[in-house]
Amino acid sequence: MSVSRRTLLGGLGGLVLAVQMPPRRARATGTIVEDVTTPFSPNAFIRIDERGVVTFIMRNVEMGQGIYTGATLLMAEELDLDPETVQLEAAPPDVAYVDKDMGTQATGGSTSTMGEWVLLRKAAATARVLLVQAAATRWGVDPAACRTEAGVIHHDASGRAVGYGEVAAEAGRLPVPPDVSLRPPSAFRLIGRSHHRLDSPAKVHATAQFGIDARVDGMKFATVAACPVMGGTLVHVNEGAARAVSGVVDILRLPNAVCVVGSTTWAAQMGLKAAAPEWNAGENAHVDTALVYRQLHDGAAQPERGIVAQEKGDAHAAVAGAHRQYAATYQQPLLAHATMEPVNCTVHVTPDRCDIWVGTQVPLRARDSAARITGLAADQVHLHNMYIGGGFGRRLEHEYVEQAVQFARQVPYPLKIVWSREEDITLDRFRPAYVDQIAAGLSSHGNIVGVTHRIVGPAVVARWAPEGLMPNGMDGDLLAAAADVPYDFRASYLDFVRRETPGVVTAWWRGVGGTRGLFVMESFIDELAAVAGRDPIEFRRHHLKNDARAIGVLDLASDKANWSQPMPKGSGRGVAVQFLFGSYLATIMDVKVDDDGSVRVLRAVVAVDCGRLVNPDQVRSQIEGGLMFGIGAALFNEITLDHGRVQQRNFNRYRVLRMNEAPVIEVHLVESDADPGGIGETGTAAAAPALANALAAATGRRYRRLPLLGKQELDV
Amino acid sequence: MYDIQINGDVHSVDVPGDTPLLWVLRDVLGMTGTKFGCGIAQCGVCTVHLDGQPVRSCSLPVAAIGTHPVTTIEGIGSDALGQAVQKAWIDLDVVQCGYCQPGQIMSAVALLKTNPHPEDSDIDMAMSGNICRCGTYQRIRAAIRSAAGA
Ligand code: FES
Ligand code: FES
């Protein structure tokens, strides 16, 4: 990795002031104030002004995953700073912040910590080397004789000390060393110790600014309705009735949507109701859930090979010739994101400038779209990225920014658009539905001799980042927990039959590939263990023979959960083991099925080996939250379509796990010096298979269709 | 014109009487700590106190408030109980995205006001109207227990 001079210390201040580290609290309120008090524009990751104020620029957006804190710890470690004294800013849209794994400036795919582990420490270590060099040169001493502590460079032999700010200008003129060494883990002061979240006080006192909290002088409040059937158009709006509603200011139109503007959001909502928009539903008016599933099951049945994603040995022959064959088909539904903060965007378009206040995981894409729509140059578009009230992949889309800009360019004032929850769910871009067909052969000892597997569903990457599609047309995300498994199957075959979902746009959703794949793989392994008459953990351990870290988490979870202790009648215990996003997890869940059929999730025990821990308590927090998110989805959630319309409109019909349904979660962390893996999506992936296996143990029947509390017949 | 008493101050607002308190707070008064989540009393992110009782401000018309005092998240830290709850939230690192947390804190304070030493089942009952999509339930439980001990 190279850190250029410009990106690292570009244009540092020339003023030399007394050594002084203002003991500031990290200011993590989420707004980006374009900083006019320092004469230098922010770039890359670190800025130090002449007063010694250190600003870290966060290229990953904070949506709950704790990356602001994690990234700050990584940089503060190498720069010898107290994390609480650093100011944090969200990165503006800029190619300097492009995530190589994601191909654009994007936060997602659990890549945040993985990507930053080396990058940010090097950026900070380079800054430190330059600052020390500048001080040493000034003093005429050997840099090696200097040390840094809490933002101050010390030369102990002479008792001299100077703050970073004071030498920042000189440091900015020094050549950047091509490479710097990083602190050895044995010297870490911050990394590996739990540190409170830096964004916590602002969020607890409600001063944190989410996109929906944007307030701009002169702005008006709006809400929208787009055609509830994808591809349909707006036919009629009862404009007179809408304008008669007190507080309604404007009614704006797009070919497929209407926007009512008011003096309050309520006025806009009442105006929209009165406007009673009528639609021409268009070509998707016939789409319903049965069609979606039928296309998937048809794909599963096609005799021709799909896109072959993995072929190891002759798996078909191995299965056919095995002592015993076993096959299963699994079906998973469309899912909404239903982030707690509904979709919203505030835009002000003037002849020579466009300002956007929004929480987005893809700021560069949003900015470029706004430039295209308004005809402005990219540098005339100013995107102010705010805290995100839950991403889960929803804010990797930016169609709502495009919609907001298209409306806002019709009016002179700043326009704040807040979608209703109904709009947020029905006009979401959905986690795809999938059908998986999987078969295995077992030897006479009950060991797996081969696995053949077919995935049927859309390729999300083909729309989101077409260049990311593999040369053979495979969506690499689907390999997770399908081709990329910790198990050693002697022979395996995986193919992908691509079937795009009619009537909706499909999108990323917390752990897409891994969440999708793990339900299938870990349910199937569990079924095979049962067929072979073996203990689910022993069976897994046997087939994990080459993977010490996987066995490590499995044994730890089994020990902590008292796996061997029998459960009372009506209760069940299920396990799932995984290697996803660079992290290992073993999850054991206990459930109770009451006589009336209601299901209670009692406890989840999770063992985690995610490599080196940056902020251990935040790993716990992400696992806890990811599991709760996954449990709710696995138990309750399915988006269905009728005449092209989504039938779930609010939390009353798109049920979310609540406090009284939330299990106790125990997280056990394994010490490891491997590179950090991602964790934000791992708990979500674990939930469905661990639950399905626990339910099977409790009831004696298999669960092959999500949601688990829905009907269990497949929609073949 | 309605005079409403919020966090000890009286505010005069000129809105139709059916306007929910939520939008008066957020849009008219600029008090954006109280959040919008569903608009139909299903999620709890808009929770405020009316006479010390937790209410869903998305479903409370401004005309129905009368002289009853309103407390919002911006004012909840003005007494010892509110401070104890907010401190417990920070000490236990409850928040993730944070969007639901103002509502969670309002519900938690209301619970502890009437039941200073709740059982877990009391907590589950009192908090079941507040959704957290980030799944911070376990830490919310722990923070309420911790604040109850304070
Ligand atoms: S916004 Fe009031 S309960 Fe959801
Ligand atoms: S912290 Fe994100 S919804 Fe609760």
Side-chain angles (χ1 to χ4, degrees):
Chain A
M1 186 216 62
S2 65
V3 179
S4 76
R5 144 127 275 98
R6 193 186 75 78
T7 56
L8 191 58
L9 288 172
L12 281 171
L15 279 177
V16 180
L17 300 178
V19 178
Q20 182 193 47
M21 280 298 293
R24 289 161 173 273
R25 293 282 307 174
R27 194 187 55 195
T29 54
T31 40
I32 318 172
V33 184
E34 272 183 53
D35 202 337
V36 288
T37 58
T38 51
F40 311 108
S41 43
N43 52 33
F45 307 109
I46 298 164
R47 204 166 69 223
I48 302 176
D49 78 5
E50 60 277 13
R51 294 164 300 151
V53 175
V54 179
T55 305
F56 288 168
I57 295 119
M58 303 283 116
R59 78 165 173 170
N60 284 295
V61 60
E62 178 61 65
M63 46 195 176
Q65 80 280 43
I67 195 62
Y68 272 23
T69 310
T72 301
L73 293 179
L74 292 178
M75 290 196 275
E77 180 73 76
E78 290 291 341
L79 251 175
D80 276 321
L81 288 165
D82 174 356
E84 306 282 332
T85 65
V86 176
Q87 310 238 6
L88 308 183
E89 268 181 30
D94 193 312
V95 288
Y97 303 104
V98 165
D99 182 323
K100 280 211 266 350
D101 291 336
M102 303 286 289
T104 181
Q105 185 179 356
T107 307
S110 283
T111 57
S112 300
T113 304
M114 295 194 271
E116 310 316 58
W117 171 241
V118 173
L119 181 76
L120 295 185
R121 285 187 302 144
K122 287 239 175 185
T126 305
R128 181 181 167 278
V129 163
L130 292 168
L131 292 162
V132 168
Q133 177 70 53
T137 304
R138 186 191 283 191
W139 295 329
V141 302
D142 179 0
C146 300
R147 65 182 175 86
T148 49
E149 189 181 328
V152 178
I153 305 153
H154 296 268
H155 182 248
D156 290 330
S158 63
R160 280 176 290 193
V162 65
Y164 289 172
E166 214 181 329
V167 292
E170 288 146 76
R173 288 191 289 270
L174 294 172
V176 174
D179 200 13
V180 294
S181 51
L182 295 174
R183 192 155 285 187
S186 58
F188 286 164
R189 303 162 306 117
L190 298 169
I191 294 170
R193 297 192 190 162
S194 290
H195 198 283
H196 286 302
R197 292 180 64 116
L198 297 170
D199 55 349
S200 225
K203 287 178 175 176
V204 165
H205 295 112
T207 55
Q209 298 284 301
F210 296 87
I212 203 169
D213 300 328
R215 287 187 72 81
V216 185
D217 279 350
M219 78 180 185
K220 300 193 190 307
F221 302 88
T223 196
V224 297
C227 181
V229 182
M230 193 180 82
T233 49
L234 181 63
V235 173
H236 180 258
V237 171
N238 192 341
E239 186 147 352
R243 286 196 185 275
V245 171
S246 168
V248 167
V249 176
D250 262 321
I251 291 149
L252 313 173
R253 288 179 174 80
L254 293 177
N256 68 343
V258 57
C259 173
V260 178
V261 188
S263 53
T264 65
T265 311
W266 178 253
Q269 288 175 351
M270 290 301 97
L272 182 58
K273 203 168 173 188
E278 289 165 30
W279 313 99
N280 175 354
E283 60 179 14
N284 286 310
H286 68 289
V287 174
D288 60 13
T289 308
L291 174 67
V292 172
Y293 287 133
R294 196 179 327 125
Q295 291 195 358
L296 297 175
H297 285 288
D298 284 352
Q302 84 170 34
E304 307 83 45
R305 291 180 151 215
I307 295 163
V308 178
Q310 190 188 40
E311 208 164 10
K312 182 182 144 199
D314 188 343
H316 289 100
V319 173
H323 172 74
R324 177 155 191 191
Q325 289 84 29
Y326 188 78
T329 302
Y330 297 89
Q331 182 184 312
Q332 305 185 56
L334 294 165
L335 293 172
H337 298 88
T339 61
M340 208 69 246
E341 178 189 9
V343 164
N344 64 84
C345 185
T346 302
V347 184
H348 190 200
V349 182
T350 61
D352 56 1
R353 186 178 166 107
C354 172
D355 282 272
I356 303 171
W357 294 264
V358 71
T360 173
Q361 292 170 256
V362 285
L364 210 48
R365 285 185 173 187
R367 181 201 67 180
D368 291 349
S369 289
R372 193 170 27 78
I373 292 164
T374 56
L376 293 167
D379 64 2
Q380 292 174 299
V381 178
H382 301 263
L383 186 141
H384 312 267
N385 209 351
M386 321 275 284
Y387 274 132
I388 296 181
F392 318 131
R394 180 64 179 102
R395 268 65 167 173
L396 284 167
E397 300 297 328
H398 66 293
E399 95 291 358
Y400 57 94
V401 179
E402 295 182 334
Q403 186 203 54
V405 174
Q406 283 166 338
F407 280 125
R409 65 199 284 257
Q410 302 178 31
V411 294
Y413 46 81
L415 186 67
K416 176 176 192 166
I417 295 177
V418 175
W419 288 17
S420 65
R421 176 60 63 190
E422 290 77 9
E423 192 77 358
D424 179 270
I425 291 182
T426 57
L427 273 288
D428 196 2
R429 303 187 140 195
F430 301 96
R431 201 295 300 260
Y434 296 98
V435 165
D436 283 65
Q437 213 172 43
I438 184 164
L442 293 171
S443 71
S444 55
H445 296 96
N447 293 327
I448 299 170
V449 296
V451 172
T452 62
H453 184 175
R454 166 169 290 177
I455 301 170
V456 191
V460 173
V461 76
R463 175 187 61 84
W464 196 81
E467 66 285 0
L469 211 57
M470 294 165 73
N472 63 354
M474 184 66 192
D475 180 344
D477 182 61
L478 295 169
L479 300 174
D484 300 337
V485 293
Y487 297 111
D488 181 11
F489 302 141
R490 278 192 251 150
S492 50
Y493 172 88
L494 174 71
D495 76 0
F496 170 48
V497 175
R498 184 170 159 192
R499 286 284 184 279
E500 292 299 323
T501 316
V504 295
V505 180
T506 58
W508 305 123
W509 187 94
R510 203 168 186 177
V512 226
T515 300
R516 192 208 71 73
L518 199 72
F519 167 63
V520 173
M521 185 55 70
E522 283 300 284
S523 296
F524 189 62
I525 293 283
D526 224 64
E527 295 199 35
L528 290 176
V531 168
R534 291 166 65 177
D535 173 78
I537 288 201
E538 181 276 322
F539 186 76
R540 284 177 172 79
R541 196 188 285 114
H542 178 87
H543 291 93
L544 288 169
K545 49 192 160 233
N546 293 326
D547 201 325
R549 291 175 74 191
I551 292 171
V553 291
L554 190 59
D555 286 347
L556 179 60
S558 137
D559 181 44
K560 298 290 184 187
N562 287 320
W563 175 261
S564 45
Q565 196 190 334
M567 296 286 282
K569 191 171 173 320
S571 297
R573 187 167 277 158
V575 62
V577 66
Q578 70 196 64
F579 176 59
L580 294 171
F581 309 106
S583 296
Y584 289 86
L585 254 73
T587 305
I588 294 177
M589 248 186 250
D590 295 355
V591 302
K592 184 169 186 316
V593 183
D594 293 331
D595 293 338
D596 64 356
S598 60
V599 170
R600 276 185 293 155
V601 188
L602 304 174
R603 181 184 71 161
V605 175
V606 192
V608 184
D609 174 355
C610 59
R612 186 162 309 273
L613 299 161
V614 175
N615 192 4
D617 190 54
Q618 280 307 303
V619 172
R620 276 194 201 96
S621 171
Q622 282 301 299
I623 298 288
E624 292 164 9
L627 265 175
M628 300 281 190
F629 188 89
I631 290 169
L635 288 176
F636 310 132
N637 293 153
E638 177 173 25
I639 288 290
T640 56
L641 301 167
D642 182 34
H643 291 90
R645 293 178 183 236
V646 170
Q647 294 177 286
Q648 294 70 29
R649 296 172 54 76
N650 207 317
F651 291 124
N652 48 357
R653 292 201 54 206
Y654 197 73
R655 187 172 162 192
V656 168
L657 194 77
R658 290 173 183 271
M659 176 75 96
N660 55 320
E661 300 159 332
V664 173
I665 297 176
E666 283 175 33
V667 180
H668 302 278
L669 303 178
V670 175
E671 295 276 336
S672 164
D673 50 15
D675 283 350
I679 47 143
E681 304 173 278
T682 56
T684 301
L691 260 179
N693 295 340
L695 282 170
T699 63
R701 66 176 182 131
R702 292 306 314 188
Y703 288 74
R704 292 180 182 160
R705 184 192 192 283
L706 295 178
L708 298 167
L709 296 189
K711 65 166 183 175
Q712 281 302 307
E713 302 77 54
L714 303 184
D715 300 70
V716 187
Chain B
M1 205 60 137
Y2 295 90
D3 288 340
I4 44 178
Q5 191 192 320
I6 304 167
N7 303 329
D9 296 327
V10 174
H11 298 263
S12 299
V13 293
D14 186 10
V15 293
D18 66 346
T19 309
L21 174 60
L22 173 65
W23 301 113
V24 173
L25 293 171
R26 291 186 56 83
D27 295 352
V28 181
L29 301 174
M31 298 169 71
T32 54
T34 305
K35 304 302 186 197
F36 166 58
C38 69
I40 57 166
Q42 283 283 318
C43 76
V45 301
C46 66
T47 305
V48 301
H49 293 181
L50 187 67
D51 267 340
Q53 299 291 318
V55 293
R56 309 294 182 226
S57 66
C58 69
S59 304
L60 178 68
V62 67
I65 296 173
T67 57
H68 301 281
V70 173
T71 308
T72 70
I73 185 70
E74 286 88 354
I76 201 68
S78 66
D79 69 11
L81 179 58
Q83 285 158 17
V85 169
Q86 286 180 313
K87 179 171 183 306
W89 244 250
I90 292 170
D91 288 348
L92 296 177
D93 279 301
V94 171
V95 308
Q96 290 192 24
C97 84
Y99 192 79
C100 74
Q101 300 298 343
Q104 304 279 3
I105 289 168
M106 296 307 288
S107 291
V109 172
L111 164 66
L112 291 173
K113 216 167 240 163
T114 54
N115 184 353
H117 296 284
E119 304 285 326
D120 275 4
S121 55
D122 300 328
I123 296 177
D124 283 1
M125 190 72 78
M127 301 301 292
S128 64
N130 288 80
I131 290 173
C132 175
R133 279 298 269 162
C134 299
T136 64
Y137 298 125
Q138 171 147 306
R139 289 177 188 230
I140 291 173
R141 258 187 221 133
I144 292 175
R145 280 195 297 257
S146 146

